[in-house]
Amino acid sequence: MIPVNDPLLDGNEKKYLNECIETGWISSEGPFIKRFEEGFAALVQRKHAIAVANGSMALDAAVAALGLEAGAEVILPSFTIISCAAAIVRAGLVPVAVDADAATLNIDVSLIEAAITSRTRAILVVHIYGLPCDMDPILDIARRYDLKVIEDAAEMHGQAYRGKPCGSFGDISIFSFYPNKHITTGEGGMIVTDSDALAARSRDLRNLCFIPARRFVHEELGYNMRMTNLQAALGVAQLERLPEFIERKRAMGRLYNELLQGMPDVELPTARVDYAESIYWVYGIVLKESIGFDAEEAMRRLGGAGVGTRPFFWPMHEQPVLRRMGFMAQARCPVSERIARRGFYIPSGLALTEQQIREAARIVREVIRK
Ligand SMILES: *Cc1c(COP(=O)(O)O)cnc(C)c1O
């Protein structure tokens, strides 16, 4: 089986992990946390970085840190991971879904203004799969309507929008270090911001809202979202290699583009737009209607032939849990609905060899035809 994702852990990971064990620093106290936070803040050109247990909790903290009033609306793409909507709902806010752009799979910027009401307070933007969202018009809308911007850059380490790092655009932005991300800590996440107040608030939320005056007396409820020194040790080792990883991902994406071009029934990912080249976090393809089966069937056939795949996200406005809560009943997102049913991704992990890519592409060509 050609795995859909395998991380690369052959740099200083072992050495740094050994340091943790030899020194006994294995909890969230420990020198690698600060090193990872500082290294990451420098990477995305932000004043503060706050390491947390995973990307989903980073979203929870980022949304909560903004302190929006209960019932306020937050615009998000329908085509994203549930963590985005969950963070909004858990903060007592109302998620409002906007459809995807068919070419980039990101939020369709031309539909955002129509979704703004007198109750809208924020936009949660998510850079999906390879290309950043078109940030200039989004930031312009946010300025004109006085909206906060939460930026989910979980899939965009090392990617830039018009030369400026992804993760540097939100009032508060987040990353994930799950093993399929460009760099991994096993589980892990990061909140980044330039705001001293949002950083302080995020740190409080991360650590149970302890107050300095009297430990174990609490004015507010926080979470334990702390990252361990062990995870941060992995993060520091991975961060050292990010430029190399990004090169590698782009080379893999370009090779797939070359090997899969001209397939009549398949839409390949958009390689570049005027503001960025794809980073190919995952190599996602979408089946055209000209072929008589959907993504589920294609994935079954590919699995049978030894090629690992994963389905695309399932739209937020079609999530049973959110619909039951009464959210997004009015949403119309035909592009999200289509790509969720006709899209999936093929082996994209950093540890793939060129031979595995060639083999995967050969099988995709063979299996996906009428
Ligand atoms: C992976 C991912 C997350 C969640 O991160 P976890 O660390 O898995 O909790 C959030 N948003 C996006 C866009 C992601 O791809």
Side-chain angles (χ1 to χ4, degrees), residues 112-366:
I112 292 178
E113 279 195 83
I116 295 175
T117 73
S118 59
R119 292 177 303 281
T120 309
R121 295 291 177 271
I123 308 176
L124 195 168
V125 293
V126 189
H127 311 295
I128 302 283
Y129 294 170
L131 287 165
C133 297
D134 194 358
M135 289 311 298
D136 283 342
I138 292 173
L139 294 173
D140 180 58
I141 292 169
R143 259 190 303 272
R144 282 191 284 116
Y145 291 87
D146 195 21
L147 307 176
K148 299 288 182 198
V149 175
I150 307 145
E151 181 189 12
D152 180 345
E155 306 172 357
M156 291 295 128
H157 323 67
Q159 175 62 298
Y161 170 81
R162 298 197 189 283
K164 194 169 177 284
C166 289
S168 69
F169 291 96
D171 291 283
I172 191 162
S173 307
I174 72 99
F175 288 86
S176 161
F177 307 114
Y178 190 70
N180 63 358
K181 308 294 156 117
H182 296 295
I183 63 172
T184 184
T185 59
E187 299 281 354
M190 193 74 83
I191 301 162
V192 294
T193 180
D194 293 325
S195 155
D196 297 345
L198 290 176
R201 185 78 189 126
S202 301
R203 288 203 179 90
D204 285 347
L205 288 167
R206 167 176 75 174
N207 194 25
L208 296 167
C209 290
F210 278 114
I211 51 174
R214 174 65 171 93
R215 200 171 172 83
F216 302 118
V217 175
H218 297 262
E219 295 287 347
E220 289 182 84
L221 297 178
Y223 306 82
N224 177 354
M225 305 185 174
R226 300 182 303 254
M227 175 184 271
T228 68
N229 199 50
L230 294 162
Q231 291 165 296
L234 285 177
V236 170
Q238 291 265 294
L239 199 52
E240 292 170 351
R241 304 180 66 194
L242 183 61
E244 170 202 341
F245 286 173
I246 297 309
E247 275 292 298
R248 204 178 162 106
K249 277 273 173 152
R250 286 214 165 104
M252 289 166 51
R254 291 184 198 123
L255 180 58
Y256 268 136
N257 288 341
E258 193 185 301
L259 296 168
L260 296 176
Q261 70 176 330
M263 287 185 72
D265 304 309
V266 174
E267 292 166 13
L268 300 182
T270 301
R272 64 165 60 247
V273 282
D274 67 338
Y275 53 76
E277 186 196 352
S278 181
I279 202 168
Y280 302 100
W281 171 58
V282 293
Y283 196 89
I285 62 179
V286 177
L287 303 178
K288 292 185 188 167
E289 279 66 17
S290 53
I291 197 142
F293 50 86
D294 62 6
E296 215 177 303
E297 174 63 19
M299 289 189 291
R300 188 160 39 240
R301 293 185 190 188
L302 286 166
V307 175
T309 58
R310 286 281 184 285
F312 271 12
F313 293 131
W314 196 253
M316 293 305 104
H317 70 287
E318 294 194 284
Q319 295 292 341
V321 59
L322 299 174
R323 293 304 285 259
R324 263 202 316 274
M325 296 167 108
F327 294 125
M328 296 181 278
Q330 310 301 322
R332 284 201 58 262
C333 304
V335 175
S336 306
E337 290 171 18
R338 172 175 183 261
I339 57 183
R341 287 161 177 82
R342 304 204 68 81
F344 62 94
Y345 60 89
I346 58 179
S348 307
L350 278 163
L352 278 188
T353 63
E354 182 181 331
Q355 196 199 335
Q356 284 176 311
I357 292 173
R358 289 185 181 278
E359 179 68 0
R362 186 186 64 75
I363 296 170
V364 166
R365 275 194 169 276
E366 204 173 278

